[in-house]
Amino acid sequence: MFKTFISSLVTKHFKKKLDNWTIKEEDVTEVLKQIRITLLDADVNLLVVKDFIKNVRQQVVGRVIAQGEDPEQVLIAIIKEQLTNILGKNPSEIDVSQHPLKIMMIGLQGSGKTTTSAKLANYFKNKFSKKPLLIALDIYRPAAIDQLEILAKEVNIDFFQKGTQDPVITANQALEYAKTNQEDVIIFDTAGRLQSDEELIDELKNIRNRVHPDEILLVIDAMSGQDVINVATEFNRHLDLTGFIITKLDSDARAGAALSLTHLLNLPVKFIGDGERIGSLDIFYPERIADRILGLGDIVTLAEKAADVLDENKTKKSLARMLIGKMDLEDLMEQMKQLTKLGSVSTIAKMLPNNTKLSEDKLLEAEQKMKVWQIMLTSMTLKERRDPSVFKKQPNRKIRVVKGSGRKPDDLNKLLSEWEKAKKKMSEMGNMIKHGRNPFGQFGM
């Protein structure tokens, strides 16, 4: 999200030797300058940056540091509070008690609106045991209707379409269909368009006036630049938005413009999409995003995501085998499968505390290594994964795996070597736990 984490700027540029234990203007001049540059580089709106820097300066200059307080942590706490305020203070969840709950999805073409509609339907189905209905109203983009139908089948959710007839008529018929079939969440996937297209804006108004949605959500691509603010302003002027969904927040997008919207339009970000998988949609928690921007991680979201997507029985069984020294390559493959469900290595790493020590190059290297290992592991037989010693007894098996995976012999040798080291390490950790010792003491935990 941000190339430079703000907490690292505080550590590097904050003048910690204070006179009379009071933070003065000159103590924070350089660090605020560097934070301003970082925010602008991340494409945060200039007005938002000015307000943020002004608020931090007002809160911190003249602040008396009490005995036992760490000046650096005081400054970081103030920055976090102001970041959270900029992002919306508190999460803004959708009221699911409305029956039926009607949601109108709008946005520019290419913003991920159709995929997000399916993700949202899947969210309400899994989180609240709702019965959603996805309605295809995009009659202009080739294959838009087919795309939504495929996604609906993927998550086993009801789907409604009437081809290329007037979307207003289709929306009206969908309401009757939903009533007859007792659907309790109705999601209208409208056509992507420019906010300056008057004819299509009129169509959106007509759909809104006919279905009276409880939520009108604008889907925003995190990679959008400053123009997204004009887009959101115009859509809001015509349609009275209730909030935003930001997609592709797991990418290398700077996302600053999208994250500026709440402060500028006084409208909440309700959800964020952080991956291509249908389950990768999360409630937007301003405080957690502030932690990520600071570089403090987001362990709560990571834990919640793990609870949602990981197979608990498989994970427990595999981990137990590792800790008693029985880890084999099948266990390794299973653990990587489970890890992939949480997102990319980079996405997971950014949710971990002290992630400022992890460079993008190292994360990309780890991501690539995982992909290579998965390819080689799938080229092995189950017998080979369960008993890797066969590679030493029958070297020809290595040749077959190398050819089948399209990799080099050195890649396979490195995999087997690192697996041996990991197996030994996990066994040692299991032995420490067995004897009541802390296996994480070496990490300062």
Side-chain angles (χ1 to χ4, degrees):
M1 193 186 307
F2 281 31
K3 290 181 181 177
T4 304
F5 291 117
I6 289 177
S7 63
S8 64
L9 293 176
V10 173
T11 300
K12 186 176 181 180
H13 297 286
F14 178 44
K15 184 181 175 184
K16 303 181 188 67
K17 291 183 179 179
L18 307 177
D19 295 329
N20 301 319
W21 290 94
T22 302
I23 301 178
K24 296 183 174 60
E25 178 78 35
E26 56 265 30
D27 297 323
V28 295
T29 299
E30 184 59 27
V31 69
L32 292 182
K33 176 186 174 183
Q34 293 301 322
I35 291 173
R36 181 179 186 277
I37 291 170
T38 296
L39 293 174
L40 291 174
D41 183 59
D43 217 14
V44 177
N45 179 265
L46 179 59
L47 178 61
V48 175
V49 174
K50 285 182 176 179
D51 286 348
F52 172 75
I53 297 295
K54 181 185 74 174
N55 292 340
V56 172
R57 182 179 281 110
Q58 287 176 347
Q59 290 288 320
V60 76
V61 174
R63 172 71 180 264
V64 177
I65 304 300
Q67 187 174 3
E69 279 190 314
D70 181 344
E72 182 179 315
Q73 292 305 312
V74 169
L75 179 54
I76 287 175
I78 290 172
I79 290 171
K80 177 181 174 179
E81 179 185 15
Q82 295 307 318
L83 270 176
T84 305
N85 290 343
I86 290 287
L87 295 169
K89 291 188 180 180
N90 300 308
S92 177
E93 299 187 44
I94 291 175
D95 182 5
V96 295
S97 66
Q98 301 170 92
H99 188 87
L101 171 61
K102 294 174 287 185
I103 302 173
M104 185 172 168
M105 304 286 281
I106 63 173
L108 301 183
Q109 199 170 71
S111 62
K113 177 178 49 56
T114 296
T115 302
T116 302
S117 296
K119 287 182 178 182
L120 198 58
N122 184 64
Y123 170 83
F124 286 117
K125 175 186 173 184
N126 291 335
K127 286 281 187 180
F128 301 102
S129 301
K130 295 291 186 180
K131 186 182 179 186
L133 174 66
L134 282 167
I135 302 159
L137 300 181
D138 186 351
I139 64 173
Y140 308 102
R141 179 169 65 89
I145 295 174
D146 292 340
Q147 180 191 359
L148 189 63
E149 184 172 19
I150 290 168
L151 290 168
K153 287 179 180 177
E154 182 181 334
V155 291
N156 194 27
I157 283 169
D158 289 346
F159 172 76
F160 186 89
Q161 61 101 355
K162 286 293 180 179
T164 57
Q165 79 170 9
D166 185 339
V168 180
I169 296 174
T170 300
N172 187 46
Q173 292 172 339
L175 289 176
E176 291 301 316
Y177 177 89
K179 185 176 181 180
T180 300
N181 290 275
Q182 298 181 314
E183 319 279 359
D184 48 16
V185 177
I186 309 172
I187 299 175
F188 301 90
D189 178 34
T190 66
R193 63 203 66 210
L194 295 173
Q195 79 281 8
S196 57
D197 190 325
E198 291 185 11
E199 183 178 343
L200 293 176
I201 286 292
D202 286 341
E203 179 183 288
L204 288 179
K205 288 181 180 178
N206 291 334
I207 293 172
R208 178 199 62 186
N209 295 339
R210 179 62 196 86
V211 305
H212 303 293
D214 303 293
E215 299 279 349
I216 303 178
L217 302 177
L218 176 64
V219 180
I220 298 289
D221 187 329
M223 292 186 283
S224 303
Q226 288 294 312
D227 189 55
V228 75
I229 294 166
N230 296 328
V231 170
T233 300
E234 281 299 295
F235 273 124
N236 187 44
R237 183 170 69 86
H238 290 295
L239 295 162
D240 296 323
L241 302 176
T242 60
F244 307 105
I245 298 179
I246 302 179
T247 63
K248 305 176 189 174
L249 206 59
D250 61 320
S251 67
D252 292 331
R254 292 179 293 177
L259 293 173
S260 302
L261 290 171
T262 291
H263 186 68
L264 294 171
L265 274 71
N266 197 30
L267 288 169
V269 176
K270 301 218 169 187
F271 293 93
I272 53 173
D274 57 358
E276 293 298 320
R277 300 174 317 284
I278 207 72
S280 57
L281 187 75
D282 298 309
I283 294 171
F284 181 80
Y285 290 93
E287 184 177 3
R288 298 183 190 180
I289 296 298
D291 280 337
R292 291 196 212 179
I293 293 171
L294 281 163
L296 303 177
D298 184 3
I299 203 70
V300 177
T301 296
L302 184 60
E304 290 175 350
K305 190 179 291 252
D308 285 341
V309 303
L310 298 188
D311 186 316
E312 186 178 355
N313 290 331
K314 283 185 178 180
T315 303
K316 282 183 177 179
K317 183 179 178 182
S318 184
L319 183 59
R321 285 174 51 81
M322 290 179 176
L323 292 174
I324 61 174
K326 292 187 176 181
M327 173 184 175
D328 57 31
L329 293 176
E330 182 73 9
D331 295 313
L332 178 63
M333 187 165 75
E334 183 58 42
Q335 287 296 324
M336 285 197 291
K337 280 182 184 177
Q338 295 293 320
L339 190 64
T340 302
K341 291 179 183 179
L342 290 174
S344 66
V345 171
S346 180
T347 299
I348 296 168
K350 287 171 185 174
M351 292 185 183
L352 298 174
N354 300 317
N355 56 34
T356 53
K357 299 175 183 176
L358 303 170
S359 70
E360 286 294 332
D361 289 343
K362 288 290 184 184
L363 293 174
L364 288 173
E365 184 182 322
E367 189 86 47
Q368 184 59 33
K369 181 190 284 187
M370 271 188 62
K371 289 177 181 178
V372 169
W373 283 13
Q374 285 174 319
I375 291 169
M376 289 191 291
L377 287 168
T378 53
S379 295
M380 297 177 189
T381 64
L382 178 60
K383 175 180 173 59
E384 289 165 345
R385 291 196 297 270
R386 282 298 184 200
D387 182 16
S389 66
V390 296
F391 288 116
K392 294 179 180 177
K393 299 172 186 174
Q394 303 172 36
N396 284 342
R397 287 179 179 270
K398 281 189 176 184
I399 297 172
R400 194 202 77 255
V401 171
V402 167
K403 286 183 177 179
S405 62
R407 305 304 304 182
K408 298 176 182 178
D410 190 47
D411 291 328
L412 179 56
N413 289 334
K414 284 181 180 177
L415 165 59
L416 294 172
S417 174
E418 292 196 34
W419 161 72
E420 286 278 9
K421 291 176 184 176
K423 179 181 179 181
K424 182 179 179 183
K425 194 70 177 175
M426 291 298 294
S427 180
E428 288 173 355
M429 290 176 67
N431 194 46
M432 290 178 74
I433 293 171
K434 183 178 178 181
H435 290 88
R437 299 200 303 274
N438 177 12
F440 304 106
Q442 60 186 307
F443 305 113
M445 298 172 69

